[in-house]
Amino acid sequence: MTREDQDLLDFASQWLPYGGARSEDILVNFGMTPAQFKMRIHRILTSAAAAKHIDAHDRENLEVTYSIPRQGGSLRSAVVAGPAERRRVAG
């Protein structure tokens, strides 16, 4: 896992208690949109390195908070969904 991957995961994890990182914080810290950020987190979580470095509970929390589909799901639909849509699905 690269240093940048670790930085992204650390940042994403810090925001877990608040329902995920805010768009403006993602932009300021990483220069990317929330959709790009979610795709990067998804790529990291599905990498072989992630299995070695990320505990299963943390991985699940990141997947849920950042609307990252579990196996067989569509990342596109997850990225498009905002917080209100996620609450409807979860609730």
Side-chain angles (χ1 to χ4, degrees):
M1 185 174 323
T2 68
R3 178 69 192 152
E4 184 178 11
D5 290 348
Q6 189 61 55
D7 290 345
L8 286 163
L9 287 176
D10 290 345
F11 179 82
S13 296
Q14 289 172 349
W15 282 94
L16 284 174
Y18 310 103
R22 298 179 313 170
S23 301
E24 51 273 10
D25 292 313
I26 293 169
L27 180 63
V28 168
N29 284 280
F30 299 103
M32 60 180 74
T33 67
Q36 293 168 322
F37 181 77
K38 289 176 185 182
M39 286 190 287
R40 288 287 303 276
I41 295 295
H42 179 262
R43 183 188 58 77
I44 295 165
L45 292 177
T46 57
S47 71
K52 297 176 189 173
H53 299 291
I54 304 170
D55 142 301
H57 180 19
D58 292 342
R59 180 188 177 115
E60 183 176 337
N61 285 336
L62 288 164
E63 289 170 343
V64 170
T65 300
Y66 293 98
S67 299
I68 297 168
R70 296 227 148 154
Q71 295 171 344
S74 164
L75 179 58
R76 173 144 171 68
S77 62
V79 168
V80 172
E85 289 83 1
R86 287 194 298 269
R87 272 190 233 104
R88 270 199 301 270
V89 171

